[in-house]
Amino acid sequence: MTSMTIRVDEQLKQSFDALCDEFGLSNSAALNLFMKAVVRERRIPFEIKADTESDVRRKGWEAFLRMRESAQAAGLGDMSLEEVNEEISAVRNGR
């Protein structure tokens, strides 16, 4: 046997430990089960997925449209680029 040291978020570890307790497992036993499944199946036993480039673009466009609607609702929809930059500078200088 050998030991392995990993760094994890403290809250994640606490949640993981509590769940393992509910299952009647130590966190070490749970991680061993995970590692054995990875080796046996030669894959991560759950889907790891990232958005496609078109998904990222679509989400960005949707966020832009929501921001534009919010700006128009607040009466800021007709600002020029210079006015927008002045607002940004004012906020930055206020820090």
Side-chain angles (χ1 to χ4, degrees):
M1 295 295 268
T2 187
S3 65
M4 179 170 61
T5 303
I6 61 170
R7 299 187 60 79
V8 296
D9 176 80
E10 184 176 344
Q11 182 59 47
L12 175 61
K13 183 184 182 309
Q14 290 173 0
S15 297
F16 182 72
D17 288 345
L19 190 58
C20 287
D21 246 8
E22 289 180 34
F23 294 151
L25 293 170
S26 67
N27 59 12
S28 180
L31 290 171
N32 271 291
L33 287 171
F34 170 76
M35 291 169 48
K36 286 177 182 181
V38 169
V39 170
R40 180 182 61 250
E41 297 176 26
R42 302 192 48 78
R43 67 180 188 89
I44 303 297
F46 51 83
E47 184 177 14
I48 298 175
K49 181 180 173 184
D51 288 339
T52 64
E53 186 175 333
S54 63
D55 287 339
V56 171
R57 289 176 192 260
R58 179 185 47 78
K59 288 177 182 178
W61 182 248
E62 289 170 354
F64 168 76
L65 293 176
R66 285 192 304 274
M67 287 190 307
R68 185 164 68 176
E69 287 173 8
S70 295
Q72 288 173 344
L76 304 172
D78 296 331
M79 293 177 72
S80 69
L81 179 58
E82 291 78 21
E83 291 170 320
V84 170
N85 285 329
E86 287 173 12
E87 288 291 321
I88 292 170
S89 293
V91 169
R92 287 181 177 165
N93 291 332
R95 286 188 221 168

